[in-house]
Amino acid sequence: MVQNSKTKYLTMKSLALLGWATCQVSTNAFLIPKTTYNTCTSRRTSAFTFSTSKQSSTLSKDDAPANNSAASRYSGAGVASVDMNKYNLQIEQIASEWTANVHAQTSMQEGGVYLGAKSRKELFVDTLQFEVKRAGGLGIQLLELAGGREDGLGITIVSGLVEGGNAEGCGIIEGDSIVQLTVLSKGASSGMNGSVLSETEERTSVSTECLGYDATIDSILSLPDLASEDETVMVTVKRLRRMPKVTLNLQYPPSQNEPDVTIELFAGENLRRAMLTRGVKLNDALSRRFDSGGIGDCGSEGTCATCVVSVSKGMDLLNTMNTQEQQMLAKNPNWRLACRAIVGSGMKEGDITIKVNPRQWDD
């Protein structure tokens, strides 16, 4: 039975969760009263339900690079060249946007319950990793947005970091949801004569994705006791971010008597596909195919050049040309094949101005 969500906090620095195995104080002594923290209290969900999906819009936690956007590596925009924190959300919006989705198993992801964004057309879930010293505890406060289920499922997010705690300044922020903790223990293996052969790194992981507060704490408590003072924890979090946007200004040849058009695209969108789905006229009926010399529409194979556009502004917001495109357009360096152009390169935002059907322009 689904219950009303609870506001629960834990100062991990004070508990025996990630290091202090000898702590004898009751856990309840470290639950901060609701009155001491107001953020999100008006946004807590009163019930928790799951939606189903055949495909996941999030990334596997195993794919997350340390301190960098995992999502950008898997989008057409390529590896992020900007500080992705500029796309972070305000905590009030985060609390209302987190949701949990049941996903069937695919070749890319195991079946299970994964975090997602309610506004999937505007937001995305990024995966980040941060290495934090374990001795003394992490110093992370947790807030349960949804839970109370017998199976332990729910949504728990970071509500704050303890001043002076190990996690302070590491990059974890309010609104993140911890999905995995991995204990990293370094040790040396010895040869027959006692010499050190190599330094090894032992890993013990627990998953906390889409768990309520109590189940999250139970998972953390299952980690092995602190083995050494230099032991660290790799904290994998998921973070809600808005999708970077690019404003595209389209200009048609004067002979066509078409008004200029301005459309908004998301970083990672294919230029030709995005324009066609928005009803923009693109193919040049008078152009000759680069590959065969005949006429015809673009087949999105990057060989005919019938979808070519001239970029007047914002060339740096498009992906780099491949060798074939460079050779095809060598005489017109400002041209791009729309079927091969990806907007928002490097997850950047900005304005792009292009001339449609450049062969019909006088300049």
Side-chain angles (χ1 to χ4, degrees), residues 244-250 262-265 271 311-318 343-345 348-354:
K245 296 180 180 180
V246 173
T247 300
L248 182 64
N249 304 299
L250 304 175
T262 299
I263 60 177
E264 193 172 64
L265 309 181
L271 180 58
V311 182
S312 304
K313 175 185 177 183
M315 183 68 83
D316 61 313
L317 295 176
L318 300 176
V343 303
S345 176
K348 297 190 294 287
E349 292 187 308
D351 295 335
I352 300 176
T353 300
I354 66 174

Side-chain angles (χ1 to χ4, degrees), residues 40 54 62 85 161 236 256 262 264 283 291 343 354 360 363:
C40 296
K54 293 182 179 180
D62 296 328
N85 286 322
L161 301 176
T236 303
Q256 295 186 12
T262 299
E264 193 172 64
N283 289 339
D291 48 3
V343 303
I354 66 174
Q360 298 184 34
D363 52 11

Side-chain angles (χ1 to χ4, degrees), residues 90-108:
Q90 296 296 317
I91 184 62
E92 293 80 6
Q93 185 179 4
I94 293 173
S96 62
E97 283 289 348
W98 274 124
T99 188
N101 302 299
V102 179
H103 295 285
Q105 184 169 345
T106 67
S107 59
M108 298 293 293

Side-chain angles (χ1 to χ4, degrees), residues 133-155:
K133 183 179 179 181
R134 189 182 183 195
L138 296 183
I140 298 177
Q141 297 171 327
L142 301 178
L143 164 66
E144 183 183 82
L145 292 181
R149 295 167 56 103
E150 293 182 359
D151 56 12
L153 294 175
I155 298 177

Side-chain angles (χ1 to χ4, degrees), residues 24-99:
Q24 301 295 322
V25 185
S26 169
T27 301
N28 292 332
F30 299 100
L31 299 181
I32 303 175
K34 297 179 183 179
T35 55
T36 65
Y37 186 79
N38 295 322
T39 305
C40 296
T41 54
S42 62
R43 294 280 188 170
R44 290 172 298 156
T45 56
S46 59
F48 185 46
T49 58
F50 291 110
S51 61
T52 58
S53 175
K54 293 182 179 180
Q55 290 186 330
S56 171
S57 61
T58 62
L59 299 172
S60 168
K61 45 186 166 286
D62 296 328
D63 293 327
N67 300 321
N68 195 15
S69 165
S72 67
R73 297 191 304 132
Y74 288 81
S75 74
V79 178
S81 60
V82 297
D83 182 1
M84 292 296 290
N85 286 322
K86 66 188 295 185
Y87 305 129
N88 293 345
L89 306 181
Q90 296 296 317
I91 184 62
E92 293 80 6
Q93 185 179 4
I94 293 173
S96 62
E97 283 289 348
W98 274 124
T99 188

